[in-house]
Each structure stands twice: as structure tokens, then as C-alpha cells.
Amino acid sequence: MDVEVRHLRAFVAVAEEESFTHAALRQRITQPALSRTVQQLESALKVQLIRRTSKRFELTAAGALFLDHARTTLANLDRAIAVARGNTTITLGFSWLLPTPWAQDMARHLQDTAGIEVTFTRVDATAQPLARGDVDAVVLRSPVSPALLDSPRTIKLFEEPRVLACSNRSP
């Protein structure tokens, strides 16, 4: 049996929700159908991805590795489909207060000139969502982690003045 996109989507939903019940609601299918789909995936891969008990949910080591690759694969597939349909969306991640005027202006410019919609999403661990393909770009504060510089291109956007405010009562 071949691995199908539905298998990947089912597995990612279960892993992210940490619940077959919640993942089934998210996927709009019944819980037994979702369980069968994940079992089919494990059978096709010949590896257990999820340890199931009545009280616990846990990804196996193979499941955790597969999850990262499945997310990347699905993100790439979703982008390819969007490009083919002509409705490209770029997801911009940020780990701090988004520079609202700059970001909104840039998003409007991309929409007006290239038909590209920009969505914004908060990310806490900046390198991982970029590496997994969860976001297309990330706005970071300097300095940038060396691990992030290995693969993606980085561009310095602007200088940001910093101010320290202290109480008069502080020693």
C-alpha cells in the first residue's frame, strides 16, 4: 500500500491534538475512521508512530521524526497547490511584537503588486517553524542564531532603538 496525503494529514492532526477524538473532529471524520487511517499509515511504513493506551498518548521516536517531515511535506504540498491555483499565501512568523506599520504596509504592497496574501502567525521557537515549513519567513530580533543562517537567506530590515526605563526608587 502507498502512503497517501490523507494518511499524512490524519497523522499530523492526531500528533498535534494528542487525541484521536479531537483530531477526528478537526479532520471532520469519525474517530474509528481516523484510527484506521493512522493504522494504515503505520502498516505501510512498517513502524509504530504512536503509542496508544487508554490514559496516555505518546509519539514514538520514529513518530516524532516522521511528524517533522510530514509537516514539511504537507506545507510544501499546500504551497504548490496554492501556486497552481493562483492564490499564493505567504505565512510570516514573528516571535515578538510585530512591527505593525511596516508589516501591514508590506502585506498590502505584496497583495497589490503580486497578488500574494500575507498571513501573520506568532512563533515562539523561531528556527523550528521555518525549518519545518510552518512559516515562509520569520521576523526576528538580532542577533540571528547561527543555525538559522545555515540555510535560509537573512535580510536586515531596520535598526531598532532600545530604551531602558528604571524606577526612581530602584538602587
Side-chain angles (χ1 to χ4, degrees), residues 2 19 39 75 95:
D2 291 331
S19 160
Q39 287 170 346
S95 62

Side-chain angles (χ1 to χ4, degrees), residues 11 14 20 31 34-43 47-60:
F11 171 71
V14 170
F20 280 86
Q31 188 273 325
L34 180 67
S35 292
R36 280 192 304 276
T37 302
V38 172
Q39 287 170 346
Q40 290 169 351
L41 174 63
E42 290 174 322
S43 176
V47 65
Q48 184 181 13
L49 301 172
I50 300 170
R51 251 184 233 103
R52 302 161 182 84
T53 69
S54 59
K55 299 195 188 318
R56 282 187 50 182
F57 171 93
E58 182 178 60
L59 290 178
T60 63

